[in-house]
Amino acid sequence: MESPQKTKTGLNLPAGMNQTSLRLETFSSSFRGISSLSSPSKSTCSDRFIPCRSSSRLHAFDLQDKESTTPVKEGGNEAYSRLLKSELFGSDFASSCLSPAGKQGSASSPISPCTNMLRFKTDRSNSSPNSPFSPSILGNDNGHSSDSSPPPKPPRKVPKTPHKVLDAPSLQDDFYLNVVDWSSQNVLAVGLGTCVYLWTASNSKVTKLCDLGPNDSVCSLQWTREGSYISIGTSHGQVQVWDGTQCKRVRTMGGHQTRTGVLAWNSRILSSGSRDRNILQHDIRVQSDYVSKLVGHKSEVCGLKWSHDDRELASGGNDNQLLVWNNHSQQPILKLTEHTAAVKAITWSPHQSSLLASGGGTADRCIRFWNTTNGHQLNSIDTGSQVCNLAWSKNVNEIVSTHGYSQNQIMLWKYPSMAKVATLTGHSMRVLYLATSPDGQTIVTGAGDETLRFWNVFPSVKMQTPVKDTGLWSLGRTQIR
């Protein structure tokens, strides 16, 4: 076997190949020009050019905050910068960075007049005020680019019309009554005159629960939390307890001298408020009609709500007072007197303990928020009309309020900002009654116009989107009896 040829250059060439067939291309003249500009102390042939860091003008690209203290080699730096800029940005850019005389415009400033070279942040001073994208026009005064901030979240869409309407003949137009309630088993109870009707939401079935007779009338309704039993307050001052499934009366309790206009259950106690200004605590496990009497209001009790932890009871009256009671005392622990009209609308926050909201009547028109731990008023919002009812959503931190004189509207608020989410209209008279569905997405409102209207106002717990209409609901108008 022949051995490979050994050339004078020290290369081992395969058989059949001589030195003339192997030609090494030399670098372009421009590259040799760059190599000569680096001017190392000894000329060395190399396959790449590595500039000396000490002779690089890093401040021209905002890569240095201070000028380099290394002595600048005359001529080499400027030629290298021009050539590099020409390769990166084009030949026109390199020539524009010099003065007409071919020299640097200022000895103390960088060669390039472009202050945004290799920067992400825009110089605010160079933005045109006439540009439609000027930060001053867009309102970005925080010094950050508008691209870095997320786009504003679109407001949640709430349907402006009810998805179902029920006729409710003989639904009373009385501010001090509470004759609509929705159970945890999805059954709506409505008091119409002397009768109580049950409407099952899953199949729209209507059942007549009871008839109190021609000499009595229904003044209040309240389901137990389990949804099996319902309490009824009458105009004679009685409190009746019925089995909603069997349509059978379980218990009748007295104690009030006149009509019982409001009822409230906690886990085991039923509280009733009356025009006789008293609040009675009933325990159906004992034989007596009531176990305690709470005296504090000077006029009819029209609002009553237990806190979610069963520790506190809030009561509102026609004496413009909001009182807070606990389980251990027969005297109110708080007397809140800032309202200037009757306090019927009361709701506790399901998201924060000791947070209470109340609404005043025509002369007050305000929704007020209270910390019941210390009795401080946290906020007050003038709604512009009589506040008839309040309900706090368990799905989201929002509140719905119904109103009477003079706008008869339903309003949805975001807490704690109290920004309006939606305003719903449709009732022609005061919206005196309000109840929430067990899933927390739908509300039903009742008014003196003898209609019940169903609205999808709150999102679900998981989806956080508006509830879509299901096959269970009809857009038609039907009667509840």
Side-chain angles (χ1 to χ4, degrees), residues 19-305:
Q19 185 176 358
T20 59
S21 64
L22 180 62
R23 182 183 180 188
L24 298 177
E25 293 291 335
T26 60
F27 295 101
S28 64
S29 60
S30 62
F31 191 83
R32 288 198 303 270
I34 298 176
S35 300
S36 63
L37 291 176
S38 64
S39 61
S41 58
K42 297 181 181 180
S43 298
T44 305
C45 294
S46 176
D47 60 343
R48 56 187 178 141
F49 171 67
I50 303 177
C52 178
R53 180 175 292 273
S54 62
S55 63
S56 299
R57 297 182 62 86
L58 298 179
H59 63 273
F61 304 101
D62 285 337
L63 300 178
Q64 271 187 330
D65 294 334
K66 299 181 180 180
E67 295 184 14
S68 176
T69 57
T70 306
V72 180
K73 297 186 178 180
E74 186 175 355
N77 263 342
E78 294 180 1
Y80 166 70
S81 298
R82 287 198 302 270
L83 188 56
L84 181 58
K85 290 173 185 177
S86 177
E87 292 296 326
L88 290 175
F89 307 109
S91 58
D92 294 336
F93 181 90
S95 60
S96 65
C97 291
L98 295 176
S99 61
K103 297 182 181 181
Q104 189 174 346
S106 173
S108 60
S109 63
I111 293 177
S112 171
C114 182
T115 60
N116 291 327
M117 186 186 299
L118 302 182
R119 286 185 180 178
F120 289 104
K121 184 176 178 180
T122 303
D123 192 345
R124 297 285 302 276
S125 61
N126 292 337
S127 60
S128 172
N130 297 326
S131 171
F133 304 104
S134 172
S136 60
I137 295 177
L138 295 178
N140 284 337
D141 295 330
N142 55 3
H144 297 285
S145 173
S146 59
D147 295 338
S148 62
S149 60
K153 186 178 181 181
R156 179 165 56 85
K157 293 183 179 180
V158 178
K160 294 300 182 69
T161 57
H163 60 79
K164 189 174 184 65
V165 179
L166 294 178
D167 281 325
S170 302
L171 186 62
Q172 298 188 57
D173 183 26
D174 193 328
F175 177 80
Y176 300 97
L177 304 186
N178 298 271
V179 294
V180 176
D181 195 30
W182 205 331
S183 78
S184 59
Q185 296 187 12
N186 210 17
V187 178
L188 181 69
V190 184
L192 302 177
T194 63
C195 301
V196 176
Y197 292 88
L198 306 180
W199 181 80
T200 305
S202 58
N203 53 19
S204 298
K205 179 183 178 181
V206 178
T207 304
K208 184 178 180 179
L209 177 66
C210 66
D211 189 342
L212 301 180
N215 298 323
D216 207 347
S217 63
V218 179
C219 296
S220 55
L221 295 172
Q222 183 72 40
W223 288 97
T224 60
R225 292 182 178 177
E226 295 77 15
S228 302
Y229 295 91
I230 184 173
S231 56
I232 303 172
T234 72
S235 61
H236 289 168
Q238 290 184 337
V239 177
Q240 301 180 7
V241 179
W242 287 71
D243 186 332
T245 305
Q246 302 294 328
C247 295
K248 181 180 179 181
R249 186 170 60 183
V250 176
R251 182 86 182 267
T252 300
M253 296 170 287
H256 288 296
Q257 304 302 316
T258 182
R259 71 178 184 183
T260 306
V262 62
L263 299 167
W265 283 95
N266 67 9
S267 299
R268 58 184 182 87
I269 297 295
L270 171 63
S271 302
S272 60
S274 172
R275 183 181 276 178
D276 64 10
R277 302 173 294 178
N278 297 325
I279 300 172
L280 300 182
Q281 307 279 54
H282 309 272
D283 191 340
I284 61 175
R285 300 171 298 179
V286 301
Q287 188 175 0
S288 59
D289 285 341
Y290 60 92
V291 294
S292 64
K293 179 187 291 187
L294 306 180
V295 180
H297 285 283
K298 300 176 182 179
S299 186
E300 180 173 6
V301 181
C302 53
L304 212 56
K305 280 289 174 65

Side-chain angles (χ1 to χ4, degrees), residues 449-468:
D449 57 10
E450 298 186 344
T451 62
L452 295 173
R453 298 173 184 264
F454 296 80
W455 315 78
N456 289 330
V457 295
F458 295 123
S460 63
V461 178
K462 295 181 180 179
M463 300 301 296
Q464 297 291 300
T465 54
V467 183
K468 294 184 179 180

